[in-house]
Amino acid sequence: MSTITVHPPSPSLFYRNKTPSTGTKCRTRFRPKPKPLRAALVEETRPRALAPVRDNRNSTSNGAVSETNTGVASIVPSSRNRADDIQAESKALARAVNASVYSPELLKYKYASRPFKVIRRTLQILVGLGSFGVKLWLDQLQGQLEQNRRSRAIELRETFTRLGPTFVKIGQGLSTRPDLCPPEFLEELSELQDALPTFPDAEAFACIEKELGLSLDSIYSSISSTPIAAASLGQVYKAQLKYSGQFVAVKVQRPGIEEAIGLDFYLIRGLGFLINKYVDIISSDVVALVDEFARRVYQELNYVQEGQNARRFKKLYADKEDVLVPDIFWDYTSGKVLTMEWVNGVKLNEQAIIEGQGLKVLDLVNTGIQCSLRQLLEYGYFHADPHPGNLLATPEGKLAFLDFGMMSETPEEARFAIIGHVVHMVNRDYEAMARDYYALDFLSPDVDVTPIVPALRNFFDDALNSTVSELNFKTIVDGLGAVLYEYPFNVPAYYALILRSLTVLEGLALYADPNFKVLAASYPYFAKRLLTDPNPYLRDALIELLFKDGKFRWNRLENLLVQGKMDRDFSAKEALQPVLKLLLGSEGEELRALVIKEAIRVSEAITIGTIIDTYNSVPPPLRSFLPNGNGIGTPMTDAEIEGMMELRAQVLRIWGLLRSSDNIDPTILQPILQVLQEPEARSLGGRVFGGITQRLAARMLQQVLRSPTTVRAPSV
């Protein structure tokens, strides 16, 4: 849910009492204060008595007493708390046993016998979107697009709202794309995230009591008389738990929501069949994509599943101090009611308010990008709906993730293939890029990728005129989209959700900086993974990046280290160990041959560079007594000397980067010392020493056989 303007509830905002004359119960609501307050789902507090039966990993262990944000001490017996969590979650699952599951066959059976209802809904959609399209067309003909933009944006928001939750989801996605929609449309569509029509409070309160099997006054000491936010699938109330005093957000599902989205997906799926059959330009299986999206929306209808998603997400990603994930209260959660901690925060697209608190939007967006990269490429479990209403900036500068109804997973093989794909793009290895689509499950193994290579080359040769980090993510998506449409690709559902997740984050960043590039912010993570991850696929990708035509590209290694150091989790020590294991492993002979060759070249450059530095430090009158006038003693051209000096300088810069790592310590050399004890390492060292000796002997032989040629060493 998102940050909205709310009125703080009175401590007795809601209560029940008995009327003396009748003895029946009635509800009395107090009017909230008129002064608005910015708030959203969670405010971190702790209960004053026993810990609530919930996922409470941040509680003080061993029964210690901790002070909460509200000044209330909590006694949390950790051993009992975990057992209670499991028991409470099991009860919540039992309450959600009848939650709906998406079934295309069931929808077909249900609506095939209701033609009038289907026709009526179809006409509603056609009239709503068709009339809006006609108005835009007339505005264009009359030259009034600019003049009527605000009114048309309002009409589109109202149309999406009238058409219901499915179209609200579409509007939410558009509200984060300033490169697709004018500012007026962005502003209006953003209201879809927290300003939807509410349903009656009486229905919401009745739903809570029915789902939890408890009366409201036995659960809460107070609850807001009206919802503080309304989303596409439900609405949220702020409440205070009676037994603990902790403030929570209570999300209640809209009545009749299953019927509404079921009919929409039945119609959209039917449209998908027509597209698959008659629209050749779209090569993806539209029906499969619709089914995947529908399954995820139906999962959002099961609030126990959402609670489990939140718990798993918190366990994986809330270990970072700048990421906040609310806890779930399982005792007060069911299939249609979700209770979680309350978080104070501001929507990520509210730049003025965020900066007014002394925070920077781009810092928060970068936090989101780094967390998203971990989601997509490290653990594979990611938040598939990161619109502004689900990402909040807290006053402490943390990024809070909310609404865990729509989640997805990246297959393990695809995670490594995505990183390798970026490496191949940097190397402009289009043949390897085309082969990556097998691992990404874009192509079946029997498809020949040869015709795809020229299409990739035509696009990326033009796009990569600038550096990769300067590319706009949308540019790459659009360019690849043109290739995908032309060839027999089948884009898997997880990849479509990944694109949506990253484009949303880039869209949010564009609010603060029109020149922001997702790839530039992502590259430090890719560099860290390439340098530190021992996975064989990534090790091979690193070799491809660093070696070309049998020659080591020191500039690439230097750039990787520079970028990798920008990632807070980068460790120079970790960067050494996997490379050494690979170098001295049983399958490393080919790599050892390249390393020996490069080690000889580097050793010669360092030796000759040191001699030249020593020569330049000698007073000019004494230099004439040195052989050949350059201190080297071997005939070398200016170009050779300059190349060696540059190589030495580059190697020294790389060593400086390793030494200047924030977490550098003397143990960085421990992996090297351990490896040097192995027989293969001693053999490798002997081969390097022998190569250096042969190289210097060859230069001395040249000096003997050739006439002395004076070559002036470049001044340093």
Side-chain angles (χ1 to χ4, degrees):
M1 304 306 299
S2 59
T3 302
I4 41 82
T5 302
V6 305
H7 300 289
S10 164
S12 302
L13 190 61
F14 178 90
Y15 67 91
R16 292 182 174 182
N17 61 8
K18 289 188 176 181
T19 305
S21 58
T22 63
T24 59
K25 294 182 179 181
C26 65
R27 292 175 179 173
T28 304
R29 299 188 184 96
F30 289 90
R31 291 287 182 185
K33 298 178 182 179
K35 185 177 180 180
L37 173 68
R38 283 271 175 187
L41 271 183
V42 192
E43 177 178 279
E44 281 210 302
T45 57
R46 296 285 177 233
R48 68 180 161 220
L50 290 178
V53 185
R54 62 187 176 96
D55 188 29
N56 195 0
R57 293 178 176 79
N58 292 331
S59 298
T60 304
S61 60
N62 302 322
V65 179
S66 62
E67 194 71 10
T68 70
N69 289 354
T70 57
V72 181
S74 66
I75 304 174
V76 186
S78 59
S79 59
R80 177 182 175 182
N81 187 59
R82 180 56 184 160
D84 288 348
D85 281 346
I86 296 174
Q87 184 179 10
E89 185 177 347
S90 298
K91 291 180 179 179
L93 283 168
R95 288 191 288 269
V97 68
N98 293 321
S100 297
V101 178
Y102 175 67
S103 170
E105 295 76 17
L106 184 60
L107 291 179
K108 181 178 180 180
Y109 174 80
K110 180 177 182 179
Y111 292 110
S113 60
R114 303 181 185 182
F116 294 108
K117 189 169 189 176
V118 171
I119 292 173
R120 184 168 61 249
R121 179 57 175 167
T122 303
L123 290 176
Q124 286 177 348
I125 296 172
L126 290 177
V127 170
L129 296 181
S131 61
F132 176 77
V134 169
K135 290 177 182 179
L136 280 183
W137 179 63
L138 292 175
D139 287 344
Q140 186 175 15
L141 290 179
Q142 298 169 4
Q144 296 181 336
L145 277 176
E146 295 287 338
Q147 178 182 344
N148 296 336
R149 183 171 288 173
R150 173 65 65 178
S151 61
R152 296 291 178 251
I154 295 173
E155 288 181 23
L156 183 60
R157 172 176 56 80
E158 293 174 346
T159 299
F160 281 159
T161 301
R162 284 195 301 270
L163 291 176
T166 306
F167 294 90
V168 167
K169 291 285 186 184
I170 295 173
Q172 288 174 346
L174 290 175
S175 72
T176 63
R177 295 306 303 175
D179 51 342
L180 296 179
C181 298
E184 294 85 354
F185 281 79
L186 296 176
E187 293 172 12
E188 294 298 329
L189 292 178
S190 66
E191 294 186 16
L192 288 171
Q193 290 150 5
D194 52 21
L196 294 177
T198 62
F199 57 90
D201 300 316
E203 293 186 28
F205 296 147
C207 178
I208 294 174
E209 292 184 328
K210 179 181 178 181
E211 288 288 309
L212 301 182
L214 299 169
S215 62
L216 287 181
D217 56 353
S218 69
I219 304 173
Y220 312 115
S221 58
S222 66
I223 186 170
S224 56
S225 59
T226 56
I228 62 164
S232 54
L233 305 182
Q235 59 193 35
V236 175
Y237 296 84
K238 183 177 182 179
Q240 187 175 24
L241 294 177
K242 190 170 186 177
Y243 83 97
S244 68
Q246 185 162 0
F247 287 100
V248 294
V250 184
K251 184 160 73 169
V252 186
Q253 193 172 112
R254 288 180 179 273
I257 186 67
E258 296 173 8
E259 178 74 16
I261 66 172
L263 179 53
D264 279 348
F265 281 123
Y266 172 74
L267 294 174
I268 295 173
R269 196 171 191 269
L271 178 63
F273 276 113
L274 295 177
I275 292 174
N276 283 348
K277 186 174 182 179
Y278 297 109
V279 182
D280 294 334
I281 193 173
I282 299 179
S283 58
S284 298
D285 187 343
V286 177
V287 173
L289 293 175
V290 171
D291 285 343
E292 178 69 18
F293 180 68
R295 273 191 289 270
R296 298 191 184 284
V297 172
Y298 268 78
Q299 286 177 4
E300 289 190 71
L301 296 180
N302 184 348
Y303 286 174
V304 172
Q305 178 65 55
E306 180 175 345
Q308 292 177 317
N309 294 343
R311 183 193 60 188
R312 182 180 177 188
F313 191 90
K314 184 182 183 78
K315 180 180 179 180
L316 291 176
Y317 308 116
D319 57 327
K320 303 300 180 185
E321 60 181 13
D322 49 8
V323 173
L324 175 65
V325 180
D327 283 326
I328 304 299
F329 291 78
W330 293 110
D331 273 342
Y332 311 114
T333 294
S334 71
K336 296 183 178 181
V337 176
L338 177 65
T339 303
M340 63 174 62
E341 286 181 309
W342 179 269
V343 175
N344 283 327
V346 181
K347 285 193 300 183
L348 215 56
N349 59 355
E350 297 279 1
Q351 183 179 356
I353 299 175
I354 291 175
E355 293 184 350
Q357 296 178 347
L359 305 175
K360 294 182 179 180
V361 173
L362 288 183
D363 289 344
L364 292 159
V365 170
N366 271 315
T367 297
I369 290 173
Q370 298 308 313
C371 185
S372 293
L373 290 171
R374 292 184 69 204
Q375 293 173 49
L376 301 174
L377 303 176
E378 201 161 322
Y379 297 104
Y381 186 68
F382 66 93
H383 196 301
D385 191 25
H387 64 72
N390 295 336
L391 298 171
L392 302 180
T394 71
E396 300 78 21
K398 294 184 178 183
L399 180 66
F401 285 82
L402 306 176
D403 195 351
F404 300 92
M406 184 175 289
M407 309 295 289
S408 187
E409 297 195 50
T410 311
E412 184 176 12
E413 185 179 9
R415 296 176 219 163
F416 300 120
I418 291 171
I419 298 177
H421 200 61
V422 172
V423 172
H424 297 148
M425 181 176 66
V426 172
N427 284 343
R428 304 194 185 201
D429 187 349
Y430 304 120
E431 289 81 6
M433 285 183 70
R435 291 192 298 271
D436 289 336
Y437 295 126
Y438 295 132
L440 291 170
D441 201 23
F442 278 34
L443 297 170
S444 59
D446 59 338
V447 175
D448 181 17
V449 297
T450 304
I452 301 172
V453 174
L456 292 172
R457 180 177 291 107
N458 291 338
F459 168 69
F460 281 106
D461 275 348
D462 181 56
L464 293 175
N465 285 334
S466 56
T467 62
V468 173
S469 62
E470 292 176 354
L471 283 175
N472 186 291
F473 185 74
K474 183 179 179 299
T475 301
I476 293 181
V477 172
D478 291 345
L480 283 177
V483 177
L484 297 180
Y485 290 143
E486 188 175 350
Y487 296 96
F489 284 96
N490 182 28
V491 179
Y494 79 85
Y495 191 77
L497 292 171
I498 287 175
L499 295 183
R500 179 171 185 252
S501 178
L502 291 178
T503 51
V504 163
L505 287 169
E506 185 173 65
L508 289 171
L510 292 175
Y511 279 106
D513 181 5
N515 297 316
F516 183 86
K517 303 294 185 296
V518 162
L519 286 177
S522 304
Y523 203 67
Y525 176 86
F526 283 100
K528 181 203 73 173
R529 287 292 300 276
L530 284 170
L531 288 168
T532 62
D533 198 311
N535 179 271
Y537 188 97
L538 297 186
R539 291 278 61 81
D540 291 343
L542 178 61
I543 294 172
E544 290 179 27
L545 188 66
L546 297 181
F547 285 92
K548 183 177 182 180
D549 299 328
K551 189 174 182 180
F552 191 83
R553 294 187 282 188
W554 289 93
N555 60 319
R556 287 284 173 85
L557 177 58
E558 183 178 5
N559 185 50
L560 282 175
L561 288 169
V562 170
Q563 295 291 330
K565 279 172 58 65
M566 296 180 185
D567 189 288
R568 68 180 62 183
D569 297 326
F570 175 76
S571 169
K573 180 178 179 179
E574 292 179 3
L576 291 175
Q577 185 78 33
V579 173
L580 289 171
K581 287 183 177 179
L582 175 67
L583 177 63
L584 301 175
S586 59
E587 300 178 356
E589 179 57 37
E590 183 178 352
L591 177 61
R592 284 194 290 272
L594 295 174
V595 169
I596 290 171
K597 179 180 177 181
E598 195 62 29
I600 294 170
R601 195 166 74 93
V602 170
S603 299
E604 183 184 34
I606 292 175
T607 301
I608 291 178
T610 302
I611 293 174
I612 291 176
D613 283 345
T614 303
Y615 171 80
N616 287 332
S617 66
V618 175
L622 300 179
R623 293 180 186 177
S624 58
F625 296 101
L626 296 176
N628 289 338
N630 62 4
I632 300 175
T634 59
M636 295 181 65
T637 65
D638 284 348
E640 288 179 302
I641 294 176
E642 289 174 2
M644 287 194 172
M645 296 295 288
E646 173 56 30
L647 175 59
R648 188 186 75 141
Q650 206 161 36
V651 172
L652 293 178
R653 285 198 303 270
I654 290 172
W655 174 242
L657 287 170
L658 292 172
R659 293 183 60 194
S660 64
S661 177
D662 291 339
N663 49 17
I664 192 73
D665 59 60
T667 61
I668 187 175
L669 298 178
Q670 182 179 352
I672 299 178
L673 296 177
Q674 291 175 346
V675 171
L676 288 177
Q677 304 302 315
E678 300 178 10
E680 189 63 47
R682 292 193 291 270
S683 173
L684 180 64
R687 292 165 68 182
V688 172
F689 181 77
I692 295 173
T693 303
Q694 292 177 10
R695 190 72 171 263
L696 293 177
R699 289 197 178 278
M700 292 179 64
L701 184 60
Q702 285 181 337
Q703 176 70 9
V704 172
L705 298 178
R706 295 176 56 181
S707 301
T709 303
T710 301
V711 180
R712 181 179 55 83
S715 59
V716 180

